[in-house]
């Protein structure tokens, strides 16, 4: 049976509304899209322990009636999907990970730096303002991100058919790290998102691969076509 349901999970400090253009585009392609929240993005500073964050995501997935669904996760959203229990992961038919936070540049340095700070200390977000949920995030959000990365490194490789898409010029993602991860998973493939027509002025803009504003029209159309072909 053809899978028509898609679960869409945003990244760290992305507003749910910022994913509406991608949701509309996927809906036009014939999919039924379920847009989920990461922990702490509906109610600030809630469910930010590793266990609570995954339970929060799992409860939302439990509401989807279809036996199987596809997943698309951006950045931390793509990472969180990998940490779900086997009972949930067996429902995932295929997954597309957009610039997933599975391997970050300077991750060990940043995690050590944030671990020395008070959990509620405010930290400036790098996400573009109009795509952001909050202007500032507490250090607890970043602590959770690094906990999730460590947990991913310990997990048995996933057998879900997976397409990773990332801009080779991404300022945050360690592309070589992604290549190593993919090399250990037979059903995973990595594809580079080339955007030669785009110039990114601010730090973090090259990481945004889920919004049409950061693509030329032909590039955005090509991205959607590749996602459609992979999921069908």
């Amino acid at each position: 049976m053809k899978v028509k349901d898609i679960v869409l999970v945003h990244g760290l400090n992305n507003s749910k509304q910022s994913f509406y253009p991608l949701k509309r585009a996927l809906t036009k392609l014939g999919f039924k899209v379920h847009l989920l929240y990461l922990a702490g993005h509906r109610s600030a500073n809630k469910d930010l322990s590793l266990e609570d964050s995954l339970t929060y995501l799992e409860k939302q997935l439990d509401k989807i009636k279809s036996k199987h669904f596809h997943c698309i996760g951006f950045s931390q959203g793509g990472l969180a999907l990998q940490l779900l229990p086997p009972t949930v992961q067996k429902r995932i038919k295929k997954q597309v990970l957009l610039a997933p936070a599975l391997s970050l540049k300077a991750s060990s340095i940043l995690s050590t730096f944030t671990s020395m700070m008070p959990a509620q200390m405010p930290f400036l977000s790098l996400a573009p303002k109009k795509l952001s949920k909050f202007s500032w995030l507490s250090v607890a959000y970043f602590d959770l991100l690094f906990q999730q990365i460590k947990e991913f490194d310990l997990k048995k490789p996933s057998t879900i058919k997976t397409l990773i898409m990332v801009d080779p010029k991404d300022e945050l993602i360690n592309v070589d790290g992604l290549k190593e991860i993919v090399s250990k998973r037979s059903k995973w493939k990595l594809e580079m998102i080339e955007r030669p027509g785009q110039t990114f002025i601010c730090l973090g803009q090259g990481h945004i691969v889920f919004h049409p504003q950061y693509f030329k029209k032909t590039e955005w159309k090509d991205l959607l076509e590749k996602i459609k072909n992979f999921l069908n």
Side-chain angles (χ1 to χ4, degrees), residues 139-162:
V139 168
Y141 284 84
F142 297 93
D143 285 340
L144 173 60
L145 171 64
F146 295 125
Q147 287 178 51
Q148 290 177 333
I149 292 173
K150 289 178 181 178
E151 187 70 14
F152 171 75
D153 290 339
L154 297 173
K155 284 187 71 68
K156 183 179 179 180
S158 169
T159 57
I160 300 170
K161 193 171 184 180
T162 301

Side-chain angles (χ1 to χ4, degrees), residues 11 24 28 52 63 66-67 69 71 78 85 91 95 102 116 120 126 129 151 155 171 178 180 200 206 227-228 230:
R24 286 194 295 268
K28 287 181 179 179
D52 287 347
K63 296 178 181 178
S66 300
K67 183 177 180 180
F69 46 79
C71 288
R91 298 180 64 197
Q95 59 181 356
L102 308 178
M116 295 185 294
Q120 296 308 315
L126 289 177
K129 186 175 181 180
E151 187 70 14
K155 284 187 71 68
E171 310 98 322
L178 291 183
E180 183 177 352
F200 302 113
I227 292 174
K228 177 185 176 183
F230 175 74

